[in-house]
Amino acid sequence: MPKANVPVLKKDKPKMKTSRKVIAILILLFVVLMGVLFFRSQISKISEIRFSGNKYTTNAELLKQIGVGVGSPFFGISESTIRERLTAISSIEKVTVDKQFPGLISVNIEEYRAVAYSLSKDGSLKAYLANGTEVPAKNGGIAAGKPLLSNWKKADPNLAKLCSVLGQISDNLTADISEIIPSPTVSYPDRIKLYTSSHFEVITAISLLPEKIEDLNSVIDTQQPGTLTMLEANSYSSFGPAEDNTEPQKETTNQ
């Protein structure tokens, strides 16, 4: 009796590809859901912004310049953006930003140092910074070792030049200078007059001041009050006999 041919039943193959797609979609949906929940939660918001080092700009002014505040998205602004926005303020020289998750942004401000002061017509005190920026003076007084700038026009390019030069000179070398006024000539458009606390009148130029400042202090330490010219050549003449009737100083010239 012949054998009947029985067809072989095919085994069902596991639907691996379909299962993997479903799992991938579920994972993606889970990630999206968690992301939505995260960015809507308080943990993703700025909880505190700390400022340090700012003297001439208030915290409120800094916050306004940054454009974000407490409650803003923590990841909505980068450290570089904060630096760029704050260094646009003329009194600020350097900014360091440290973002610490969750929620804390620490900002350290380095401002240009004050090099001189001026007295406005209304009696208010202004500070001149090393880059020529004029800002309201803080703490109600003139710091020791800072000269008063008188008779300067804000549009005078030599004013910014003077502030820059003063910023390059150490405070101990300018400590005796009490006032600086412009005194330009055809030969020296940047000529200035300095008045010192030790009663000297000094004629020099802004461009020459860095190289002449040590000579100035040397004369002040060794001579009686008088007039000191420090241009291409240095010359000195005493105002007159000292109170102890010592002989008046003879005029000297140093090349």
Side-chain angles (χ1 to χ4, degrees):
M1 187 173 178
K3 294 181 180 180
N5 294 325
V6 180
V8 179
L9 296 177
K10 294 182 178 180
K11 295 181 179 180
D12 292 335
K13 295 182 178 179
K15 298 179 180 180
M16 295 296 294
K17 293 183 178 179
T18 303
S19 299
R20 288 176 180 174
K21 287 182 179 179
V22 172
I23 293 172
I25 292 172
L26 291 174
I27 291 174
L28 180 60
L29 290 173
F30 177 77
V31 171
V32 171
L33 177 61
M34 293 303 295
V36 171
L37 293 174
F38 173 78
F39 285 107
R40 294 187 63 179
S41 68
Q42 288 301 313
I43 198 172
S44 69
K45 309 297 183 183
I46 297 173
S47 59
E48 184 181 3
I49 301 178
R50 295 177 185 171
F51 293 107
S52 61
N54 52 307
K55 180 180 179 182
Y56 302 110
T57 310
T58 65
N59 289 359
E61 291 170 333
L62 295 174
L63 283 172
K64 183 178 180 181
Q65 183 69 16
I66 293 174
V68 297
V70 173
S72 299
F74 182 79
F75 298 102
I77 189 169
S78 65
E79 294 180 0
S80 60
T81 299
I82 294 174
R83 283 194 297 268
E84 289 173 6
R85 291 179 181 179
L86 291 181
T87 50
I89 297 175
S90 59
S91 61
I92 295 178
E93 181 176 15
K94 185 180 177 182
V95 176
T96 304
V97 182
D98 181 22
K99 294 181 68 178
Q100 300 176 18
F101 184 81
L104 174 62
I105 299 179
S106 298
V107 183
N108 180 255
I109 305 293
E110 291 184 32
E111 296 171 320
Y112 289 95
R113 72 184 184 98
V115 295
Y117 290 83
S118 67
L119 193 62
S120 301
K121 292 181 179 179
D122 61 1
S124 61
L125 202 62
K126 303 287 186 179
Y128 278 104
L129 308 184
N131 66 338
T133 298
E134 185 184 35
V135 296
K138 302 295 183 179
N139 302 326
I142 298 179
K146 309 296 182 185
L148 181 69
L149 303 188
S150 303
N151 302 331
W152 289 89
K153 295 180 179 179
K154 291 184 179 180
D156 189 342
N158 285 322
L159 175 57
K161 183 180 176 183
L162 173 61
C163 291
S164 177
V165 167
L166 290 174
Q168 300 169 23
I169 301 173
S170 61
D171 288 343
N172 64 306
L173 292 177
T174 61
D176 196 51
I177 300 174
S178 58
E179 186 178 13
I180 304 176
I181 64 173
S183 181
T185 63
V186 175
S187 301
Y188 293 96
D190 64 340
R191 199 181 83 148
I192 53 177
K193 280 186 179 181
L194 313 177
Y195 296 95
T196 70
S197 299
S198 51
H199 309 295
F200 280 79
E201 179 182 300
V202 184
I203 299 172
T204 187
I206 297 172
S207 54
L208 297 174
L209 188 57
E211 64 182 84
K212 299 290 187 178
I213 190 67
E214 290 191 10
D215 293 338
L216 166 61
N217 283 278
S218 177
V219 173
I220 289 174
D221 289 341
T222 58
Q223 304 293 343
Q224 296 295 332
T227 300
L228 180 60
T229 301
M230 310 185 80
L231 295 169
E232 291 302 320
N234 299 342
S235 64
Y236 160 76
S237 61
S238 172
F239 287 143
E243 293 182 357
D244 60 359
N245 295 322
T246 56
E247 290 293 324
Q249 297 291 330
K250 296 182 179 180
E251 183 172 334
T252 59
T253 301
N254 299 317
Q255 297 296 330

